[in-house]
Amino acid sequence: MALAQLQTYTEEDYYNMPEDVRAELIDGQFYYMAAPSRIHQEILMFLSRKIADYIDSKNGFCKVYPAPFAVKLFESDDDLIVEPDISVICDLGKLTDRGCTGAPDWIVEIISPGTASHDYVRKLNLYQDAGVKEYWIVDPLTKTIYAYHLGEAKFEVTPYTFQDKIKANLYDGLWIDFGELKL
């Protein structure tokens, strides 16, 4: 007896989804995402503002995009599109009308209860393989931040808490004080 086979989806299927459906396409499979919590959104806005304000204050050219924002990590891979919570792109040639093609320089993911293993394992490996220079995982439940920085060939991680002031590896003078986050 033959086993049932999963249907695989492509970039075309991703862009043909209804606009009110949020999902990521990884290895040809859709991973649907629930609406984020209020705390998730507060963290998203706090970090997006801090990063964008810093870039603006230095007359920088990098762009900050909060979710939903489509990122096709590998140009030749038509079955992989993710939607990081925050994407910072410094190579503006990677920007398209649909989002970003290629690895953003910095990605921030804010953990939701149903996505923890997805962000800590699957996406961590994808981002490392794609060459994302900096990847932060922010966990509102445990009030921890894992800041990953791409070393020679793999991520190196430093753990922090919501009481810490964290230096962004991508910029010399950007420090984010999570103590300012009033939750």
Side-chain angles (χ1 to χ4, degrees):
M1 175 193 252
L3 294 175
Q5 299 215 346
L6 291 175
Q7 180 173 352
T8 41
Y9 298 94
T10 66
E11 179 178 4
E12 182 179 344
D13 298 311
Y14 174 86
Y15 285 112
N16 285 327
M17 285 191 314
E19 284 192 29
D20 62 339
V21 175
R22 287 199 55 217
E24 294 181 306
L25 178 64
I26 300 176
D27 295 328
Q29 298 302 304
F30 281 119
Y31 292 86
Y32 294 95
M33 300 182 292
S37 70
R38 178 187 62 80
I39 299 299
H40 182 284
Q41 292 302 89
E42 284 193 35
I43 295 169
L44 176 81
M45 290 303 299
F46 171 79
L47 289 172
S48 295
R49 272 196 314 268
K50 291 287 185 185
I51 297 166
D53 287 351
Y54 177 82
I55 292 168
D56 289 347
S57 76
K58 301 296 181 186
N59 295 316
F61 56 89
C62 299
K63 300 286 185 181
V64 180
Y65 294 96
F69 183 72
V71 174
K72 184 177 177 180
L73 288 171
F74 305 97
E75 189 171 350
S76 62
D77 201 342
D78 74 340
D79 68 350
L80 177 61
I81 298 174
V82 293
E83 287 188 15
D85 287 311
I86 300 172
S87 299
V88 179
I89 296 118
C90 298
D91 178 352
L92 304 185
K94 292 180 180 180
L95 296 174
T96 69
D97 288 341
R98 290 184 156 175
C100 176
T101 299
D105 295 272
W106 183 7
I107 288 177
V108 177
E109 293 284 7
I110 302 161
I111 298 296
S112 298
T115 66
S117 66
H118 191 64
D119 293 330
Y120 280 112
V121 179
R122 182 175 286 121
K123 289 170 99 176
L124 172 77
N125 288 317
L126 285 172
Y127 295 159
Q128 179 177 273
D129 292 346
V132 172
K133 295 174 186 164
E134 188 159 1
Y135 174 41
W136 287 14
I137 299 176
V138 180
D139 189 334
L141 188 60
T142 62
K143 294 186 175 1
T144 55
I145 303 100
Y146 292 94
Y148 293 85
H149 309 285
L150 193 58
E152 290 292 317
K154 64 179 188 151
F155 278 134
E156 299 166 5
V157 64
T158 306
Y160 296 97
T161 72
F162 277 27
Q163 303 307 309
D164 292 322
K165 190 173 183 180
I166 304 171
K167 183 186 181 308
N169 206 41
L170 195 59
Y171 301 104
D172 286 334
L174 175 57
W175 290 80
I176 297 178
D177 185 353
F178 274 79
E180 294 176 3
L181 184 59
K182 308 288 188 239
L183 296 178

